[in-house]
Amino acid sequence: MISGRDEARQPVLVGERISKSFGDVQVLFSVDFDVMPGEIHALMGENGAGKSTLVKILSGFEQPTSGRILLDGQPVTLPRNGAAESLGIVIIHQEFNLAEHLTVAESLYLGREVTRFGILDRRFMRRETRRVLDELGSHIDENALIGSLAVADKQMVEIAKAISRDARIIFMDEPTAVLSREETAILFREVRKLREKGTSFVFVSHKLDEVMELTDRVTVLRDGQWVKTAPTSALDGEAIAQLMVGRELSSLYPAKHEPDVDEEVVLSVSGLSTGYVRDASFDLRKGEVLGFSGLIGSGRTELMEAVAGLRPRASGVVSIRGKQLVAGDFRAANAEGLAYMTKDRKGRGLLLGEGMTVNLTLQAIDQHLRHGYLDPKSEAKAMMRAKRRFDIRVRDEHVRAGRMSGGNQQKLLLAKIMEIEPNIIIIDEPTRGIDVGTKQQIYHFIAALAREGRSIIVVSSEMPEVIGLCTRVAVMREGRIVGMLEGEEISEQQIMRYAAGLRRQLAS
Amino acid sequence: MTSDTQADASPRRARTWRDIDLRAVAPFAALFLLLIVGAMVNPNFIGLNNLSNVATRSAFIAIIAVGATFVISSGDLDLSVGSMVAFVASLMILFMNSGVIADPALMLLAAIVLTLVIGSLCGLVNGLITTVGRIEPFIATLGTMGIYRGLTTWLSQGGAITLRSAEQQALYRPAYFGSVLGVPVPILVILAVTAIAAFILYRTRYGRHVTAVGSSRDVARYSGIAVDKVRTAAFIIQGLCVAIAVLLYVPRLGSTSATTGMLWELQAITAVVVGGTALKGGAGRVWGTICGAFILELVGNIMLLSNFISEYLIGAIQGTIIIIAMLVQRSLARKT
């Protein structure tokens, strides 16, 4: 069936009608995917399209809810938790799985150390590591500590590790996200070399130009559905972008409410730099919903945390209504009416072991002090208010935050930061991991807050969200704001062009 | 109609039963069990005299453990408290011996104030080393443990430091041996310290911040809480509690030595853990801690009154208790 162009060639790995649900949420709908020997196959799609889940299923880290996997034409059940490496299926994660304190050679042989008479045969392992690295044309010292290597070199160690394990199919999840242009070039050269030897690659990336340059075939997923598989040569960047988005915005989003052009600027950021973010400048007007789009790792969260004072800034000025904020002082920013809602609601947003009320009042506890001590009645009243305002629904009033559904947690987190009565609200990933009904509610909360005259920054990796909510959209790429879109310009295709580096506005 | 209200009421009733946190109840159940065991071992045990003696003797550990509840709730650990007792007590006695203030009552008052200040400063040092110095509390307080102990040994030149003035001793004695309305002073002090601590932990902004910092430093930071200040303050409270324990300790013997307070840190931590406070931070239980301190002292007392276990085994028994307490705590942990 596979294109039929070469009957003799059989795909190494096939996923047939793969579906996957997590609880009630279905994330993959009967997806077909195959990898030919000696092929570089790009897997593309927006955030949340189901790429990562598909990769995890095809590498044994998740089991499909339905559908089957064929290896060399034989149906198989892939062993769990990376044990599929023994079958030659290796996954290189975006965050490396390398222990910083081991040497390169030790890393390569981690978990399958070679011994002689029960003692580690370190000489053999070093020699073999050298051989593999030489084969790759890499200059990395096999005795170097992983912690001392540059990011690209770590990537290379991961690849060497995969090769030393006789990998036949290597999954690479956004391998170039952390690499410089030169490092990317080296990586691509090595990948091509390995392709000549028959190794297959699945290349998950958002970067259209790299996909065009490197890959043989492209498969596009959208909303968990298979959209198209085609030879890369038959497509261009525009076509792929179209395939990835190609969706209409529905009534999921409330009507936009554009602030007047002469509305006062409440937040002004100029020339802000941190370790990664470079020279970011933007203004936020009263009642505005400003979007921040870009790929994962483009520096949006880092920029926002620096604006809020949760992270030090190397240079730049942040001022609220003309008053400059002290760098790195989150409490001072709070006091000026700026609130930051983290995207990590479980790790940074809520105390999972505590009840709703403790969480709700944590940031604004001073409001509930009477003669210096806490007034439980006042806290309970605030909880009642928040539940009504943000429609938090729980069956048990005393439920711990950790046991609430993602949607209710998110509403509770929003309620929590609203307790400090902020005028400027930075919301990082407002709807990550919550169902569509709650998403819609949160969008309406955001719109309502803007109509009340509050100013909101929405940082989101989901483009439809940014487009549906925001009247202006800043696009970030590699730590810089590369575009500021307004009105008609705000479209998925435009954002994608900026985010993937096909276009860029020169900052004046 | 009737069936409706029933259906509505029944889950609520079931919930209140399920809602009782077994970890909070467990130490009190254990205390109750011990009292029964004690009564069976020796009829004298359950007498009011014996029990009030036990409670009095538990005062030092109980009060120190109240401070430890704060430190542990905020996610830290203080190993230096035993040495701190010896160090603060030595300084207190040396000051009283110095005779800089002639009037004995005024002298005593000044000594008490000085002790509280020194205790707080010792705690502050621990707090600053852990927060500003960014050193693991285990290591930081292991260091100060050695420092406070070493300074005590040096001050006492390896021997004992004794309160010299008989007049002052007579004046100060009632602080440990006296009683008000038939209740020994140390028990009153325990109750007062615990009540204040419980109020601070459960009913003030600071207490809420301690819980937040202990549960998750990240959440606390993203909620605009000054995490380092909260942690440092917990260490200061610990130092203050040590000083209060010293105020009861000095009138008891009128003397300290290099071995004063040896291993008290372990007993204090045991009391906290037995009392149901999670060692990883978060939920602090002040009354549970007091209960834990009583349990430790009661076990020793029962062993003393019984004939079939040697009292030399007390350390082993206390060690067993902390392990059992941890196992119980984990098995009772409510599933997430």
Side-chain angles (χ1 to χ4, degrees):
Chain A
M1 274 320 290
I2 322 298
S3 76
R5 60 191 161 153
D6 190 348
E7 291 297 331
R9 285 217 315 171
Q10 185 191 31
V12 256
L13 185 69
V14 180
E16 266 184 11
R17 296 191 302 282
I18 301 284
S19 295
K20 177 71 186 177
S21 306
F22 292 105
D24 302 333
V25 186
Q26 186 160 6
V27 293
L28 283 180
F29 299 85
S30 194
V31 170
D32 286 316
F33 187 76
D34 66 89
V35 188
M36 303 299 289
E39 170 188 61
I40 304 174
H41 195 149
L43 183 57
M44 306 211 52
E46 287 186 293
N47 295 313
K51 297 169 308 221
S52 298
T53 309
L54 183 59
V55 166
K56 279 183 191 149
I57 287 172
L58 292 175
S59 57
F61 282 87
E62 297 278 0
Q63 299 297 324
T65 312
S66 67
R68 58 180 196 158
I69 297 168
L70 306 173
L71 187 64
D72 296 322
Q74 300 299 314
V76 286
T77 303
L78 295 176
R80 287 174 178 278
N81 295 332
E85 282 194 5
S86 60
L87 301 173
I89 302 172
V90 175
I91 177 165
I92 298 178
H93 296 273
Q94 210 169 349
E95 287 101 27
F96 306 120
N97 275 330
L98 295 170
E100 300 274 305
H101 298 289
L102 296 182
T103 68
V104 172
E106 284 164 346
S107 303
L108 245 67
Y109 281 89
L110 190 61
R112 44 167 205 146
E113 288 80 0
V114 178
T115 56
R116 268 176 73 184
F117 316 117
I119 297 163
L120 287 178
D121 190 350
R122 306 213 313 216
R123 245 184 48 195
F124 173 81
M125 289 189 279
R126 279 203 295 264
R127 207 172 53 226
E128 276 303 292
T129 303
R130 185 71 263 156
R131 191 183 59 75
V132 174
L133 288 172
D134 284 343
E135 210 173 280
L136 278 171
S138 171
H139 61 280
I140 304 169
D141 181 357
E142 67 273 20
N143 296 316
L145 285 178
I146 295 293
S148 69
L149 297 181
V151 185
D153 287 344
K154 286 185 190 170
Q155 186 98 47
M156 208 54 83
V157 172
E158 284 276 26
I159 292 170
K161 199 169 150 185
I163 294 166
S164 74
R165 287 169 197 216
D166 297 323
R168 302 174 57 207
I169 306 140
I170 300 177
F171 288 90
M172 302 177 92
D173 193 355
E174 294 268 359
T176 60
V178 289
L179 300 187
S180 73
R181 196 161 278 282
E182 294 73 32
E183 290 168 336
T184 303
I186 295 171
L187 175 72
F188 284 4
R189 203 179 62 218
E190 303 306 331
V191 166
R192 286 198 193 94
K193 247 191 241 169
L194 287 167
R195 172 177 60 184
E196 301 313 315
K197 292 180 184 163
T199 310
S200 307
F201 288 85
V202 176
F203 186 73
V204 179
S205 177
H206 283 108
K207 298 188 180 171
L208 289 167
D209 48 343
E210 292 180 358
V211 168
M212 297 308 299
E213 181 191 338
L214 183 70
T215 65
D216 304 311
R217 276 199 300 165
V218 179
T219 290
V220 178
L221 299 183
R222 189 200 307 150
D223 295 335
Q225 317 243 15
W226 174 88
V227 176
K228 193 180 180 84
T229 300
T232 310
S233 52
L235 298 165
D236 57 21
E238 293 287 329
I240 295 174
Q242 284 281 7
L243 288 170
M244 282 166 64
V245 292
R247 160 176 10 118
E248 284 179 68
L249 299 179
S250 60
S251 62
L252 199 55
Y253 302 96
K256 288 188 196 178
H257 184 81
E258 203 151 347
D260 295 336
V261 262
D262 55 352
E263 196 61 87
E264 101 181 276
V265 170
V266 289
L267 174 72
S268 168
V269 174
S270 68
L272 190 149
S273 297
T274 67
Y276 182 61
V277 175
R278 292 261 163 251
D279 197 26
S281 303
F282 64 90
D283 285 339
L284 178 68
R285 271 172 290 175
K286 186 169 181 237
E288 184 178 15
V289 183
L290 171 64
F292 266 79
S293 195
L295 304 176
I296 290 168
S298 57
R300 294 165 301 170
T301 296
E302 190 165 326
L303 168 60
M304 290 310 154
E305 290 193 354
V307 168
L310 279 160
R311 181 189 279 277
R313 48 182 198 251
S315 64
V317 176
V318 177
S319 40
I320 292 178
R321 295 195 161 84
K323 187 177 169 191
Q324 286 197 13
L325 285 186
V326 181
D329 190 345
F330 182 46
R331 288 147 61 81
N334 284 174
E336 291 296 327
L338 184 148
Y340 174 77
M341 181 166 153
T342 172
K343 62 182 168 188
D344 182 5
R345 61 174 171 264
K346 290 189 172 170
R348 291 171 171 170
L350 298 174
L351 298 171
L352 299 181
E354 300 292 334
M356 292 192 296
T357 311
V358 169
N359 275 295
L360 179 74
T361 58
L362 191 58
Q363 198 155 352
I365 198 85
D366 288 355
Q367 291 172 8
H368 306 288
L369 293 178
R370 215 176 53 188
H371 313 303
Y373 63 89
L374 294 176
D375 180 4
K377 279 198 204 117
S378 158
E379 286 190 271
K381 228 188 269 171
M383 191 67 237
M384 290 285 292
R385 240 185 356 249
K387 277 171 70 177
R388 261 202 317 272
R389 184 176 180 193
F390 294 104
D391 191 39
I392 301 168
R393 291 182 208 171
V394 287
R395 289 175 62 191
D396 179 353
E397 295 298 310
H398 303 285
V399 68
R400 292 181 301 151
R403 290 184 138 191
M404 294 163 67
S405 72
N408 275 315
Q409 284 180 347
Q410 194 71 357
K411 289 179 189 171
L412 177 60
L413 183 56
L414 182 58
K416 170 188 161 184
I417 67 151
M418 287 312 297
E419 282 290 297
I420 67 170
E421 287 294 327
N423 292 314
I424 301 163
I425 307 154
I426 302 174
I427 305 181
D428 201 349
E429 300 290 354
T431 64
R432 175 175 284 183
I434 64 182
D435 62 280
V436 74
T438 313
K439 270 187 185 181
Q440 187 169 21
Q441 279 188 312
I442 288 189
Y443 297 149
H444 282 81
F445 293 145
I446 290 173
L449 292 172
R451 272 198 303 278
E452 287 170 17
R454 301 177 207 271
S455 312
I456 296 160
I457 294 176
V458 173
V459 176
S460 176
S461 298
E462 292 189 34
M463 267 188 264
E465 191 164 285
V466 172
I467 294 164
L469 283 174
C470 306
T471 46
R472 257 190 331 147
V473 176
V475 186
M476 287 188 74
R477 176 182 155 80
E478 292 172 354
R480 290 174 189 276
I481 297 178
V482 290
M484 185 66 87
L485 309 177
E486 271 177 85
E488 291 298 302
E489 291 177 299
I490 303 177
S491 68
E492 301 205 24
Q493 285 86 348
Q494 280 291 349
I495 293 175
M496 187 58 99
R497 279 189 201 109
Y498 283 105
L502 295 180
R503 269 188 78 172
R504 122 174 244 169
Q505 286 171 353
L506 286 174
S508 49
Chain B
M1 279 300 279
T2 351
S3 66
D4 240 324
T5 36
Q6 257 177 354
D8 224 90
S10 62
R12 192 160 301 159
R13 211 179 301 132
R15 190 170 62 217
T16 51
W17 270 110
R18 237 184 304 126
D19 220 47
I20 294 175
D21 192 344
L22 286 173
R23 274 185 298 176
V25 180
F28 296 95
L31 182 66
F32 187 67
L33 211 70
L34 265 183
L35 289 176
I36 293 173
V37 170
M40 291 193 311
V41 166
N42 189 325
N44 291 333
F45 170 82
I46 207 76
L48 208 59
N49 243 343
N50 183 52
L51 287 182
S52 116
N53 260 334
V54 170
T56 306
R57 272 204 309 276
S58 75
F60 308 131
I61 296 301
I63 293 167
I64 294 169
V66 167
T69 309
F70 279 86
V71 173
I72 291 174
S73 296
S74 66
D76 288 314
L77 195 66
D78 190 343
L79 293 178
S80 73
V81 289
S83 311
M84 209 192 284
V85 167
F87 180 57
V88 176
S90 303
L91 288 179
M92 183 184 190
I93 296 177
L94 284 175
F95 176 72
M96 286 170 83
N97 284 347
S98 71
V100 285
I101 301 172
D103 182 68
L106 261 181
M107 180 63 173
L108 186 57
L109 198 68
I112 288 172
V113 172
L114 184 78
T115 303
L116 294 174
V117 170
I118 294 172
S120 310
L121 285 177
C122 288
L124 178 67
V125 168
N126 282 335
L128 292 180
I129 296 172
T130 30
T131 57
V132 177
R134 303 204 174 283
I135 295 174
E136 281 292 305
F138 183 92
I139 300 300
T141 59
L142 195 65
T144 54
M145 173 180 168
I147 293 171
Y148 297 146
R149 180 69 66 196
L151 287 175
T152 309
T153 314
W154 173 68
L155 286 172
S156 64
Q157 291 297 302
I161 300 176
T162 309
L163 196 52
R164 279 202 294 268
S165 153
E167 192 187 0
Q168 273 183 358
Q169 265 198 29
L171 190 65
Y172 197 7
R173 247 182 82 84
Y176 184 80
F177 294 101
S179 57
V180 177
L181 301 172
V183 186
V185 173
I187 295 182
L188 293 174
V189 175
I190 295 177
L191 292 176
V193 167
T194 314
I196 294 170
F199 185 80
I200 293 175
L201 199 53
Y202 304 133
R203 291 297 296 276
T204 66
R205 169 177 57 183
Y206 175 70
R208 192 61 67 77
H209 285 182
V210 166
T211 308
V213 168
S215 303
S216 166
R217 298 231 168 108
D218 273 339
V219 172
R221 196 165 77 83
Y222 278 78
S223 302
I225 294 172
V227 174
D228 283 353
K229 279 188 195 149
V230 171
R231 294 173 64 196
T232 307
F235 278 105
I236 294 175
I237 290 174
Q238 172 73 86
L240 206 57
C241 286
V242 165
I244 293 170
V246 165
L247 292 181
L248 292 179
Y249 181 85
V250 170
R252 184 187 180 202
L253 296 176
S255 156
T256 62
S257 74
T259 57
T260 295
M262 207 66 125
L263 291 183
W264 281 13
E265 59 280 343
L266 289 186
Q267 293 194 38
I269 293 168
T270 307
V272 173
V273 172
V274 168
T277 299
L279 203 49
K280 64 179 197 311
R285 299 186 199 285
V286 180
W287 291 106
T289 295
I290 293 302
C291 183
F294 284 165
I295 288 175
L296 286 183
E297 200 60 43
L298 271 182
V299 168
N301 184 248
I302 289 171
M303 289 171 70
L304 212 65
L305 291 177
S306 74
N307 299 320
F308 43 87
I309 312 176
S310 163
E311 63 259 36
Y312 294 122
L313 276 173
I314 188 154
I317 298 292
Q318 286 180 344
T320 313
I321 289 175
I322 192 168
I323 292 170
I324 290 174
M326 290 304 278
L327 288 172
V328 170
Q329 221 186 66
R330 199 178 52 197
S331 68
L332 294 182
R334 292 197 286 178
K335 306 283 178 289
T336 317

